[in-house]
Amino acid sequence: MSNEKQHSVLFTNRLSVGYSGSSSDVVVASDISIELKKSQLVGLIGINGSGKSTLLRTIAGLQEPLSGTIEIAGKSITNYTPDILAQSLSVVLTGQAISKNLTVLELVALGRQPYTNWLGTLTDNDKSIIKYALEATETLEFKDRKCYELSDGQLQRVLIARALAQDTQLILLDEPMTHLDLHHKASILQLLKSIAHEQGKTVLFSTHDIEYALQLCDKVVVMQEGLARFDTPQQLIEDGVIDGLFPSKTVLFDRESIRFSIDK
Amino acid sequence: MVCFLANLSLGSVAIPIKDVFASLTGGEVSKSSWEFIISDYRLPKAITAIITGAGLAVSGLLMQTLFRNPLAGPFVLGISSGASFGVALYILGGTALGISAGVLGGKWGLIASASLGSFGVLLIVLAVASRIRDTMALLIIGLMVGSLTSAVVSILAYFSKAEELQRYVFWSFGSLGDLSWQGVSILTICFTVGILISIFCLKSLNAFLLGDAYAKTLGIKHSRARLLIIIATSLLAGSITAFAGPIAFVGLAVPHLVRQVIPTSNHIILLPSVILGGAILMLVCDTIAQIPHSEFTLPINAITAIVGAPVVIWLLVRKKKLMF
């Protein structure tokens, strides 16, 4: 195995994602080949329905790939048992019917499930990791509050804390900044950046905030017309991939300032 | 414990607590008839009440977590209707279908048919649940399956003999008092197995609080855990319904009452609390049903609904919303 390959946390080769129907498969996106390394913050962008969520769900093992391979830490995910996969990959999803009656601490503690015994008993090591996850996401101060008492931004931080408590090399987030105002968007992004760059995790998140993703991410996956481009933000801008993201009649992209503007 | 003793003591014949104690511990009892009442009628009934309350409350808790819906419970999701259907087929189906009902004689036939009925309905609800993500739609489907089975029961009733019909109607009133010691031991076995499976599922239950997707990414063997929870529920609700009749509201109301007292969602704490809460509520309901110092015993099903329904309404009004 080459040295290059050893460092890849997530590797997909000609991956095709979608839904397998009874008569024929519905392909949402195909030919996705990406390689994510340690300490990388990677954005996943594309218009609605381009397959961002489908890709994340497929990588997370929540749905089967139509074709192609997914490797995590150099091993195909088909070779992982559910609990070992849970120790390698954690997710933050939106729109899940989670029990809002959970306290913040209880919710974050659930992240330790892949490591605990059959009753889910927390060891001192588990407790210190939970405390660390709460501190890193600045949620320690309201750890005893119920989830229904939290604002959207706070809940998002708590869900990220849960993923951190799961202590995995790879963290996938599905639109972690939706429904948040500018300030909270920025703080979540900064949190993700520090998780990647300071704690050495690999973070892959989907977002509609393309401008921020281009500014902050090390690499970006652009999903467009059933295909995926994977490169550095700079290269994607130079290649004109971002310009073609939206119909030029409605939205214009300025390469210099990395800004979109509405065509008047 | 207090409820347990009060339940033993009160009834059409009031027996002093002192004599209840004496009877339980094998001491001298003032009247020999009292000892007979205690050991052969009230004690099995009290134990049945405890098992019924605890078991239904646990199955309610399991359903509310599995479906992530505060309205879920053995009654609402049609599991009890399924059990009724099974029992109706067993008692009434003989004449209607032209087969002798006595093939599977005794309590085991009744319990098997009720368990199969509730398991069948749960499987239907779950098969639909895997296709439909909307939990409200699922509840409506549970109610529809419930009406469907009761419609079939009506048709069966129309064609069956009067004495069979009477047997079914009395079963459907719900009663804790008809059980012999043999019946109590069968019920205890089913209850113990159901509770053991639930204990085995505690960790998965906590993961299910986050939803199916999160539970899967936490390494839970999702379909196995779901099946185990359903087996536990149908075993508990099915066996209890078979022996004690379709008892309403306990399964739905007790988990909510317990959550008011104990502010946690952790099933390791919730499960024993719900068992205790269900047992206490059922003992109280049964004590009311047997109306101290009177000749009458009211159908237990009526009492649980009279006690349970206002509690749920009161909770809704006070909290504005129910949470699971």
Side-chain angles (χ1 to χ4, degrees), chain B residues 1 55 79 89 91 126 132 156 168 175 191 257 282 286 295:
Chain B
M1 208 50 212
I79 301 165
L89 265 187
I91 299 180
L126 248 147
I132 296 176
L156 281 176
Y168 176 76
S175 168
F191 174 74
L257 285 171
M282 208 61 198
D286 181 52
E295 300 279 313

Side-chain angles (χ1 to χ4, degrees), chain A residues 178-249:
Chain A
T178 40
H179 307 307
L180 300 185
D181 62 37
L182 196 59
H183 163 70
H184 286 98
K185 268 181 187 169
S187 79
I188 293 284
L189 259 176
Q190 280 164 350
L191 174 62
L192 295 181
K193 195 178 159 200
S194 79
I195 289 170
H197 293 168
E198 282 154 39
Q199 301 179 38
K201 309 276 187 195
T202 304
V203 178
L204 175 63
F205 69 102
S206 66
T207 182
H208 283 293
D209 294 291
I210 299 165
E211 294 169 1
Y212 302 143
L214 292 172
Q215 284 170 38
L216 276 167
C217 293
D218 303 305
K219 289 278 186 87
V220 170
V221 184
V222 181
M223 301 198 67
Q224 197 179 14
E225 286 159 4
L227 296 168
R229 276 288 306 268
F230 176 62
D231 221 319
T232 59
Q234 206 52 46
Q235 194 62 45
L236 289 168
I237 293 167
E238 277 174 30
D239 291 353
V241 177
I242 309 297
D243 303 71
L245 209 50
F246 300 110
S248 56
K249 267 186 262 174

Side-chain angles (χ1 to χ4, degrees), chain A:
Chain A
M1 200 182 280
S2 70
N3 198 31
E4 189 77 352
K5 191 78 175 286
Q6 275 179 1
H7 286 284
S8 83
V9 173
L10 171 69
F11 175 76
T12 70
N13 186 30
R14 304 188 62 83
L15 177 67
S16 178
V17 298
Y19 302 89
S20 43
S22 48
S23 52
S24 64
D25 292 348
V26 181
V27 180
V28 177
S30 57
D31 205 12
I32 305 163
S33 298
I34 58 175
E35 183 177 10
L36 273 53
K37 297 189 178 150
K38 197 172 182 295
S39 289
Q40 277 188 337
L41 177 65
V42 181
L44 175 57
I45 62 177
I47 57 170
N48 287 333
S50 60
K52 301 190 294 295
S53 295
T54 314
L55 175 60
L56 288 177
R57 289 178 59 85
T58 309
I59 295 171
L62 292 172
Q63 62 187 75
E64 296 287 315
L66 295 178
S67 65
T69 53
I70 304 168
E71 285 178 15
I72 288 168
K75 205 168 95 179
S76 167
I77 63 162
T78 51
N79 294 331
Y80 278 88
T81 57
D83 46 334
I84 300 297
L85 186 65
Q87 294 179 9
S88 316
L89 174 156
S90 58
V91 294
V92 176
L93 304 165
T94 39
Q96 293 294 307
I98 65 160
S99 166
K100 294 285 173 72
N101 210 20
L102 285 163
T103 66
V104 170
L105 189 62
E106 284 175 331
L107 195 153
V108 175
L110 284 175
R112 296 304 299 165
Q113 278 219 349
Y115 305 92
T116 53
N117 64 4
W118 68 279
L119 265 177
T121 318
L122 298 172
T123 62
D124 287 342
N125 181 44
D126 292 323
K127 282 175 189 158
S128 68
I129 290 171
I130 291 163
K131 185 157 179 279
Y132 163 76
L134 289 167
E135 277 167 357
T137 51
E138 292 165 23
T139 50
L140 189 62
E141 55 189 295
F142 48 85
K143 69 177 167 62
D144 293 319
R145 257 194 250 170
K146 297 261 186 187
C147 286
Y148 63 82
E149 297 169 325
L150 302 178
S151 70
D152 286 350
Q154 286 171 330
L155 184 63
Q156 200 61 48
R157 283 180 170 274
V158 171
L159 291 172
I160 294 172
R162 191 209 62 84
L164 272 183
Q166 207 173 327
D167 195 22
T168 57
Q169 180 56 50
L170 177 63
I171 302 178
L172 307 175
L173 304 96
D174 191 11
E175 304 197 9
M177 296 175 297
T178 40
H179 307 307
L180 300 185
D181 62 37
L182 196 59
H183 163 70
H184 286 98
K185 268 181 187 169
S187 79
I188 293 284
L189 259 176
Q190 280 164 350
L191 174 62
L192 295 181
K193 195 178 159 200
S194 79
I195 289 170
H197 293 168
E198 282 154 39
Q199 301 179 38
K201 309 276 187 195
T202 304
V203 178
L204 175 63
F205 69 102
S206 66
T207 182
H208 283 293
D209 294 291
I210 299 165
E211 294 169 1
Y212 302 143
L214 292 172
Q215 284 170 38
L216 276 167
C217 293
D218 303 305
K219 289 278 186 87
V220 170
V221 184
V222 181
M223 301 198 67
Q224 197 179 14
E225 286 159 4
L227 296 168
R229 276 288 306 268
F230 176 62
D231 221 319
T232 59
Q234 206 52 46
Q235 194 62 45
L236 289 168
I237 293 167
E238 277 174 30
D239 291 353
V241 177
I242 309 297
D243 303 71
L245 209 50
F246 300 110
S248 56
K249 267 186 262 174
T250 52
V251 181
L252 288 172
F253 180 66
D254 180 50
R255 293 186 186 193
E256 292 300 314
S257 61
I258 318 182
R259 287 274 182 275
F260 284 99
S261 59
I262 297 166
D263 194 13
K264 291 161 191 160

Side-chain angles (χ1 to χ4, degrees), chain A residues 57 60-62 82-83 85-87 89-94 96-103 106-107 110-121 146 148 159 162 166, chain B residues 67-68 133 135 196 199-222 259 262-266 268-270 319 321 323-324:
Chain A
R57 289 178 59 85
L62 292 172
D83 46 334
L85 186 65
Q87 294 179 9
L89 174 156
S90 58
V91 294
V92 176
L93 304 165
T94 39
Q96 293 294 307
I98 65 160
S99 166
K100 294 285 173 72
N101 210 20
L102 285 163
T103 66
E106 284 175 331
L107 195 153
L110 284 175
R112 296 304 299 165
Q113 278 219 349
Y115 305 92
T116 53
N117 64 4
W118 68 279
L119 265 177
T121 318
K146 297 261 186 187
Y148 63 82
L159 291 172
R162 191 209 62 84
Q166 207 173 327
Chain B
F67 288 103
R68 285 180 304 289
R133 302 195 68 85
T135 41
L196 283 178
I199 292 171
F200 184 73
C201 292
L202 279 174
K203 188 175 169 180
S204 322
L205 282 166
N206 281 335
F208 276 125
L209 287 173
L210 295 177
D212 289 354
Y214 274 122
K216 273 184 195 163
T217 63
L218 278 169
I220 297 296
K221 289 176 190 72
H222 182 260
R259 282 194 200 92
I262 301 161
T264 181
S265 293
N266 189 342
I268 294 170
I269 301 165
L270 274 183
K319 293 278 285 182
K321 57 180 174 186
M323 262 168 288
F324 55 92

Side-chain angles (χ1 to χ4, degrees), chain B residues 4 44 52 54 69 75 108 142 149 152 168 177 189 209 211 214 233 236 243 255 257 259 263 277 285 289 305 309 316:
Chain B
F4 185 67
T52 309
N69 194 311
F75 195 74
W108 282 108
T149 48
V152 177
Y168 176 76
I189 292 167
L209 287 173
Y214 274 122
T233 308
L236 289 169
F243 280 111
L257 285 171
R259 282 194 200 92
C285 284
L316 265 171

